[in-house]
Amino acid sequence: MAALNPQCRYGKCIFVIAHMRCGSTALSNILCSRPDVSGYGEAHIRYDGAGALGRLAVNQAKRQSWKPRATHLFDKILHSRHDGAACDGFFTARAIFVAREPFAAIRSIRKLYDGLGRDEYTTDTEAAEYYMERMETLLRHWDRFPADNRVGLTHAALLAAPEAELERISTVLRISPPLENRYESRAASRKGGAGDPTASGKFTRIEPRPGGGFAEDGADLALSPDLRSAAQDVYQRFRRTIGEPHA
């Protein structure tokens, strides 16, 4: 596939590597609104070899989101079944790591699945266990990407100063022209588990919300003290790993 389409090389890919309910849909929309990025959101592809990128291109074509002249292929990856056993080539892509404060993320996951009527993440513990497992995968992946091919941010930082965070992403990952805080929320990004089906279609940019990502104590969540402490710990480890100030 790479011989036919230069997009289909891991070195040409941009991945958002994150967990559910962390602001990844808005960030994906910004990237996928560019003519040089082909994608729409979460494609649910298993990155087990070079053939995965052919599957990604076909997936995008089926969603009417493939741009054959784009420079980069894009995907958003939120579950370890897709990248937990990724091939070596996967780690030559450019990667944007995103995470959210645990209790707000857990609460949002529960609210989303309750609203969808899905029989998944039906308890706070189940949502917390997903969060914990996914965060550990993010931490394992970080060091496998070259330092100049990875950038990390938190949901709180993205909301507090979206333009500054987009500029930082562009600088670290050599994205030119730089990312702008504007996007078109296409239907493909809101259907079939591709992204946020609730609010993302109502916006055309990331609206700054200083203080909107503040840490919570999660007192309303039914979590054991050990799980509560572990969730806080893994988030703080993520912040330290990506080098967030004051982590």
Side-chain angles (χ1 to χ4, degrees):
M1 189 72 179
L4 298 175
N5 191 331
Q7 291 177 343
C8 293
R9 296 186 176 95
Y10 281 109
K12 294 290 187 179
C13 291
I14 300 174
F15 296 130
V16 167
I17 302 176
H19 60 76
M20 293 188 290
R21 312 306 292 167
C22 69
S24 61
T25 294
L27 186 55
S28 299
N29 285 341
I30 285 172
L31 283 154
C32 294
S33 292
R34 295 169 58 97
D36 57 340
V37 178
S38 180
Y40 62 90
E42 189 180 2
H44 302 274
I45 300 294
R46 183 188 291 270
Y47 290 97
D48 52 2
L53 300 184
R55 296 195 297 272
L56 179 58
V58 170
N59 178 289
Q60 292 178 5
K62 288 180 177 179
R63 294 284 191 116
Q64 298 182 325
S65 298
W66 185 44
K67 303 170 189 172
R69 296 185 179 181
T71 307
H72 305 287
L73 279 182
F74 173 84
D75 195 12
K76 175 177 66 171
I77 308 167
L78 307 183
H79 297 275
S80 299
R81 61 179 176 269
H82 300 134
D83 65 1
C87 65
D88 290 342
F90 178 83
F91 299 98
T92 66
R94 303 180 201 187
I96 305 169
F97 288 76
V98 190
R100 186 178 184 180
E101 185 276 324
F103 302 132
I106 291 163
R107 187 181 299 109
S108 187
I109 291 168
R110 293 274 285 111
K111 181 179 179 181
L112 173 65
Y113 279 83
D114 282 349
L116 294 174
R118 299 261 300 271
D119 189 25
E120 296 178 84
Y121 309 110
T122 57
T123 68
D124 295 340
T125 294
E126 288 177 356
E129 288 174 344
Y130 155 79
Y131 177 89
M132 291 287 301
E133 184 278 328
R134 185 60 185 154
M135 288 291 285
E136 292 291 354
T137 299
L138 266 60
L139 289 167
R140 287 196 305 272
H141 281 352
W142 177 263
D143 284 333
R144 296 196 64 184
F145 285 92
D148 59 350
N149 271 18
R150 71 189 184 204
V151 63
L153 63 150
T154 62
H155 175 265
L158 184 61
L159 287 185
E163 280 79 11
E165 288 298 283
L166 293 173
E167 182 178 357
R168 187 168 67 89
I169 292 168
S170 301
T171 298
V172 174
L173 298 186
R174 308 169 306 285
I175 296 174
S176 181
L179 298 173
E180 297 181 23
N181 188 15
R182 60 183 177 83
Y183 63 79
E184 176 186 355
S185 179
R186 301 176 62 182
S189 72
R190 304 191 299 273
K191 296 179 179 179
D196 180 4
T198 58
S200 66
K202 302 175 183 178
F203 299 95
T204 58
R205 66 194 296 267
I206 299 174
E207 298 294 338
R209 283 194 289 155
F214 61 88
E216 304 181 20
D217 62 9
D220 59 315
L221 299 176
L223 300 173
S224 70
D226 286 348
L227 189 54
R228 187 183 304 274
S229 177
Q232 291 174 309
D233 175 72
V234 76
Y235 179 65
Q236 294 305 323
R237 284 195 285 130
F238 175 83
R239 293 182 65 204
R240 291 192 297 271
T241 296
I242 67 171
E244 185 175 77
H246 312 300

